[in-house]
Amino acid sequence: QVQLVQSGSESKKPGASVKVSCKASGYTFTTYAINWVRQAPGQGLEWMGWINTNTGNPTYAQGFTGRFVFSLDTSVSTAYLQISGLEADDTAVYYCARAHLHYDFWGQGTLVTVSS
Amino acid sequence: DIQMTQSPSSLSASVGDRVTITCRASQGISTYLAWYQQKPGKAPKLLIFAASTLQSGVPSRFSGSQSGTDFTLTISSLQPEDVATYYCQKCNSAPFTFGPGTKVDIK
């Protein structure tokens, strides 16, 4: 069965970096894009961008350029989201989702908390 | 960029009621619209794609329709397990913007 399993919660200080993983199983990893979605506490879903799992080419939404990096390790069917220079406003749950137009499978979410 | 709006932002209805949520795109997106259900503390779940196609395993009380740039999610008979926030999303091209959400609870 298709699964996306994300890494566990992280607690970081401002200025630090974090890397969230999203491991796919149950399907051929390179046949679907991986998208990333942020949800700040009590807020809605915010599309961050996507990565082409065939080419590794990332596309970032406005507001997610510079400090945010999407990457892949296709040998282990895993996508990564790295955030550098963490700020308090980065505190959120980050989701990965398998995408072919719509998102039919989602990871369970990774809570990143940024606090001094 | 195309903007997505939803109405209402929240609603309260009785078990068995028919519930309708509307999503409007600021420009045409053909049928490239999906609906998701998110329960507290959980990842979103795909309900409807291509505006009106029910995802496998989703109860038939959920349905989607379209009129131009207006899209509707209907729950034909609200059940207690339907308490959740519902989001629409444009799926035609980047940015794949979500609507702001509609919170549904039981009266």
Side-chain angles (χ1 to χ4, degrees):
Chain A
Q1 73 284 19
V2 174
Q3 278 191 300
L4 297 176
V5 178
Q6 297 184 225
S7 49
S9 298
E10 301 268 10
S11 182
K12 297 288 184 182
K13 294 193 183 305
S17 296
V18 69
K19 193 169 187 177
V20 176
S21 66
C22 170
K23 183 171 176 60
S25 61
Y27 72 100
T28 301
F29 184 63
T30 53
T31 57
Y32 290 83
I34 292 290
N35 282 236
W36 290 94
V37 176
R38 182 171 79 177
Q39 188 167 39
Q43 303 301 307
L45 304 173
E46 188 175 16
W47 182 71
M48 300 175 64
W50 68 285
I51 186 163
N52 183 316
T53 52
N54 263 308
T55 65
N57 184 50
T59 299
Y60 300 97
Q62 272 190 338
F64 294 99
T65 55
R67 298 189 299 116
F68 299 82
V69 176
F70 307 147
S71 62
L72 302 171
D73 185 343
T74 55
S75 68
V76 290
S77 301
T78 301
Y80 300 94
L81 163 66
Q82 183 160 359
I83 312 172
S84 59
L86 282 163
E87 305 167 354
D89 285 351
D90 295 323
T91 294
V93 175
Y94 293 84
Y95 293 101
C96 62
R98 185 181 90 157
H100 179 65
L101 298 181
H102 49 270
Y103 302 173
D104 57 353
F105 286 92
W106 294 66
Q108 82 275 22
T110 296
L111 173 63
V112 175
T113 303
V114 184
S115 174
S116 55
Chain B
D1 291 346
I2 295 173
Q3 305 303 312
M4 307 299 293
T5 56
Q6 282 184 239
S7 61
S9 57
S10 65
L11 67 88
S12 187
S14 299
V15 173
D17 281 355
R18 183 181 184 88
V19 167
T20 298
I21 298 168
T22 297
C23 173
R24 174 170 291 171
S26 61
Q27 298 175 41
I29 57 171
S30 185
T31 61
Y32 294 102
L33 185 106
W35 288 99
Y36 301 90
Q37 175 193 65
Q38 187 180 34
K39 297 183 178 180
K42 299 293 187 184
K45 172 187 172 184
L46 177 67
L47 296 177
I48 302 271
F49 62 93
S52 60
T53 302
L54 195 67
Q55 172 70 348
S56 176
V58 174
S60 58
R61 64 180 179 274
F62 291 93
S63 64
S65 63
Q66 175 189 8
S67 177
T69 58
D70 289 345
F71 299 84
T72 300
L73 173 70
T74 299
I75 308 173
S76 60
S77 177
L78 187 68
Q79 300 301 304
E81 60 267 33
D82 300 334
V83 169
T85 301
Y86 294 83
Y87 296 92
C88 62
Q89 183 196 26
K90 63 178 284 288
C91 304
N92 58 326
S93 60
F96 299 109
T97 308
F98 291 91
T102 296
K103 189 172 183 180
V104 174
D105 64 24
I106 301 292
K107 193 182 294 182

